Amino acid sequence: MIKNQLHGDIFEIVMVNPPVNALAYPVRQGLLQAIIDAQTDDAVKAIVIRGDGQLFCAGADITEFDAPVVEPDLHVVVDAIEASAKPVVAAIHGSALGGGLEIALGCHYRIATPDAKLGLPEVLIGILPGAGGTQRLPRLIGVEAALDMIVSGSPIAARRAAEIGLVDRLASNEGSLGEEAIAFTRTLDAPRRAGDLSVEADPAVFEKVAADNARKIKGLDAPSACIEAVKASTTMSLADGQAKERALFAGLVSGEQAKALRHIFFAERSAAKIDGLPKDIALRPIAKVGILGAGTMGGGISMNFLSAGIPVTIVEMQQEALDRGVRLVRKNYEATAAKGRLTTDQVKNALGLLTPTLDFDTLADCDLIIEAAYENMEIKKEIFARLDAVAKPGAILASNTSYLSIDEIASATKRPQDVLGLHFFSPANVMKLLEVVRGAKTAPDVLATSMQLARKIGKVPVVSGVCYGFIGNRMLIPRQKNAEALLLEGATPEQIDRVHTSFGMPMGPFQMADLAGVDIGWHRDTDRIESLQDALCAEGRWGQKTKAGFYDYDDKRKPTPSAAVAKIIDDFRARKGVTKRETSDEEIVVRTLYTMVNEGALILEEGIAQRASDVDVVWAYGYGWPRHRSGPMFWAGQVGLTKIVADLGRYAAQIGSNFAVSALLKRCAEQRVPLDRAP
Ligand code: T1G
């Protein structure tokens, strides 16, 4: 866990704990012992601390947080480094994050490769730097720069760190870092301790940071604790400030939000693993991608590959549609560049990789072809039959369908083993989630290739089996059905949406319907009024695009409750002979959130999702489920499965005659085990 080596009179301590040198107990113990030994070793003039492998250190071992600390705690190690009578230098490459950066802050000097990243991301997992970071960082770079790093959790590049005094020297490159660090250390005669510095700040700075971040940190515990800890660095001694920091840390680390954020951190990484697939399976090379359909989805999907430097051939049937699609891609890139997130060269390079064409046969040399045409099975089967005739052997044929059966689509080809679903979420160039839908005959290497490619284009992939709506959209079905039933029974769109937005969702079911389009799937017959959707659509209330849906919208798309909608609902209720009644927020939670949990449990029961945490990842990355609640399945455990089963039973009649509580959910409740350890 620790390798030590003497280079002349410079003692090099190397952290070795692949893959990220997490500061598990053996690393902490080894570091502390090495620092102590170096103090009394006359052969040692100064010390260098380095990380083995891809990076310096990714911080504390997050898997240890649910158990009591095994001494030495990290702050003891950092304090010992800083107290060293001999100069200590941190040689940083890759990343120095969290406790990793705190180790470097305890060192007297820091040298880094130019592209290294330094950060304190603890706030992103619901805690705060707990080994002196909130006390030493402000002393080194000032309160405002420190607050920015600690409250956002975003790392900075070493070049920037050098400008603000966090890094003393930039190495030429990773290969020479070791030698340069030793040479640099040889020039040092005395320690220089961040802890000896003091830092002042106008107290108004802290109020301003809290106010500037108010929307982002609303409902979260960690950010305000971060601000309080940094404030202590300006009013307390290092020791007292660290004690305050540790007290705040202790108050967060075992809290529900920190547990949920740790859970989703690991869930995202677990989702990338496919049970039963050999780790070293040979992948199919994907050098060129074909996209069928240049609509909103086809254009957005293309951008993911173009931005990753993968050439795209985009095919449409009409020139006008093709031109419109290319214009949309260009417009999206230019909008991103206008925000400074892309350079004009990057936009030019990306667009240079796009080949628009009406010629279906140009897809013959693509390694992956993604169909993004109408959500209609007959159309998709025709397309896949044509692809079967044109695509080269071994090409992966994917559909972007959001509900339909991949098995039926694959049956239109003679190569079902090469067919799967790649379900992107709109806007496809922004949303991180990608549901990778495996058909009954999808070959393992097709699946593995798609998962690896998903990560390459910056997506968070989750494997789904074939069912109507896969994982995410299938769980939307009971939510939407109950939400509309609740409207008929007397709730209002704003009451139901408020329950969801106060829960932490970015928008509620009806705000979402207006955004997506109330007219999706509508039969277009204005005389046929069989549902609330029909009633609204017949009045031209198709959502934001017609400035009227479940809400009225102004030119800035700001929603306001609509008296016209209230009347449409009243009239429809009268026609259906439904008596209006009061509905509580609690009933709305049960019928629109607990029913989603139940659907998630059914999805697990049927083997559609590999694991409960995969369902959480789908909702966290595809639908804006509040990250500090992890996802529906983990959150259900925090609510209590027994309570959820009981409440679903209490409202079973209202939920619907064909409603049944999942057997798996019942079993987990009875046996008091979480859904991700379902018996
Ligand atoms: N602890 C335990 N495991 C970790 C880990 C960590 N800190 N970081 C990564 N892993 C695992 C990860 O689960 C995966 O496991 C493997 O390492 C590769 O990770 C006291 C309290 C460093 C940018 O929040 O941001 O210090 O799936 O797939 O894409 O103040 O990992 O292979 O089994 O993410 O190259 C603060 C978290 C901790 C950094 C590398 N530190 N890690 O990304 O690899 S709290 C963090 C990351 C703390 C102190 C406080 C990223 C990375 P598996 P990966 P990557």
Side-chain angles (χ1 to χ4, degrees), residues 290-501:
I291 306 284
L292 254 175
T296 312
M297 286 307 284
I301 292 169
S302 309
M303 292 177 68
N304 293 300
F305 297 98
L306 297 171
S307 302
I310 300 171
V312 171
T313 298
I314 188 163
V315 176
E316 254 297 349
M317 291 189 289
Q318 312 287 336
Q319 190 61 47
E320 200 281 324
L322 185 63
D323 295 344
R324 188 172 55 242
V326 173
R327 275 199 307 274
L328 177 70
V329 169
R330 177 184 303 284
K331 181 170 146 278
N332 287 341
Y333 271 126
E334 285 166 354
T336 307
K339 290 177 199 149
R341 291 211 294 264
L342 275 179
T343 64
T344 41
D345 275 354
Q346 285 171 317
V347 170
K348 198 159 135 277
N349 296 340
L351 291 171
L353 293 170
L354 182 63
T355 307
T357 175
L358 299 176
D359 179 1
F360 192 95
D361 294 347
T362 56
L363 294 169
D365 68 347
C366 291
D367 306 295
L368 162 67
I369 300 165
I370 303 173
E371 167 271 319
Y374 288 113
E375 191 69 351
N376 171 291
M377 182 54 84
E378 289 326 304
I379 293 176
K380 290 188 186 305
K381 288 171 81 170
E382 271 168 40
I383 289 172
F384 273 77
R386 279 189 73 188
L387 283 176
D388 199 21
V390 167
K392 67 183 182 183
I396 295 177
L397 309 181
S399 171
N400 174 52
T401 179
S402 37
Y403 282 90
L404 304 179
S405 165
I406 293 300
D407 294 330
E408 189 175 345
I409 291 171
S411 69
T413 74
K414 291 189 281 305
R415 50 174 120 178
Q417 72 282 0
D418 297 338
V419 178
L420 84 170
L422 291 179
H423 177 213
F424 290 81
F425 282 70
S426 182
N429 53 310
V430 172
M431 294 302 283
K432 303 284 280 180
L433 177 66
L434 179 64
E435 282 183 327
V436 178
V437 186
R438 65 194 314 179
K441 296 180 179 158
T442 301
D445 66 328
V446 167
L447 207 49
T449 301
S450 303
M451 295 296 277
Q452 193 267 353
L453 183 65
R455 286 199 301 284
K456 182 174 178 183
I457 62 173
K459 295 301 181 189
V460 176
V462 178
V463 174
S464 172
V466 174
C467 68
Y468 187 70
F470 312 133
I471 297 173
N473 284 348
R474 172 167 161 183
M475 289 169 71
L476 268 183
I477 295 168
R479 184 183 93 159
Q480 214 54 31
K481 180 166 155 284
N482 277 280
E484 292 196 7
L486 281 158
L487 279 193
L488 214 52
E489 292 160 29
T492 61
E494 45 275 17
Q495 179 190 3
I496 294 167
D497 284 349
R498 176 182 45 72
V499 167
H500 282 248
T501 50

Side-chain angles (χ1 to χ4, degrees), residues 19-20 22-23 54-55 58-63 65 74 95 97-100 102 120-122 125 127-131 249 265-266 269-270 273:
V20 297
L23 293 161
Q54 64 165 341
L55 79 172
D61 183 338
I62 306 173
T63 63
F65 289 165
L74 186 59
S95 299
L97 297 175
E102 289 175 304
L120 292 173
E122 288 87 340
I125 51 172
I127 50 179
L128 53 74
F249 179 92
F265 172 87
F266 288 115
R269 288 154 178 81
S270 302
K273 295 171 182 126

Side-chain angles (χ1 to χ4, degrees), residues 3-51:
K3 266 185 331 197
N4 303 328
Q5 191 174 355
L6 203 53
H7 299 270
D9 55 2
I10 306 300
F11 184 54
E12 187 185 51
I13 305 171
V14 184
M15 296 176 281
V16 183
N17 184 19
V20 297
N21 296 330
L23 293 161
Y25 162 72
V27 181
R28 298 196 304 273
Q29 177 56 32
L31 263 176
L32 179 62
Q33 196 55 56
I35 284 289
I36 292 169
D37 295 348
Q39 302 307 307
T40 52
D41 183 340
D42 295 338
V44 173
K45 171 180 178 278
I47 299 153
V48 171
I49 296 178
R50 197 162 58 78

Side-chain angles (χ1 to χ4, degrees), residues 67-217:
V69 171
V70 177
E71 293 298 338
D73 200 348
L74 186 59
H75 73 270
V76 170
V77 181
V78 177
D79 290 350
I81 292 168
E82 184 169 70
S84 167
K86 301 177 180 179
V88 187
V89 173
I92 299 168
H93 73 292
S95 299
L97 297 175
L101 180 53
E102 289 175 304
I103 291 276
L105 290 170
C107 294
H108 304 131
Y109 302 85
R110 286 153 293 277
I111 178 172
T113 54
D115 59 349
K117 295 256 184 302
L118 295 87
L120 292 173
E122 288 87 340
V123 70
L124 303 179
I125 51 172
I127 50 179
L128 53 74
T134 64
Q135 307 304 305
R136 290 190 173 93
L137 190 63
R139 284 174 163 84
L140 274 174
I141 64 172
V143 161
E144 283 168 297
L147 277 170
D148 186 43
M149 283 181 69
I150 294 170
V151 175
S152 71
S154 304
I156 61 172
R159 290 184 204 286
R160 173 72 186 135
E163 288 165 5
I164 60 175
L166 179 52
V167 160
D168 302 289
R169 172 86 47 109
L170 289 176
S172 343
N173 59 55
E174 197 163 314
S176 61
L177 174 67
E179 288 152 42
E180 290 188 58
I182 287 165
F184 171 51
T185 306
R186 276 215 174 85
T187 66
L188 305 170
D189 295 324
R192 181 194 63 180
R193 298 185 180 92
D196 292 343
L197 303 173
S198 63
V199 60
E200 291 170 358
D202 174 349
V205 161
F206 304 100
E207 281 74 43
K208 183 176 181 318
V209 167
D212 290 351
N213 290 281
R215 201 174 49 77
K216 227 172 20 179
I217 67 179

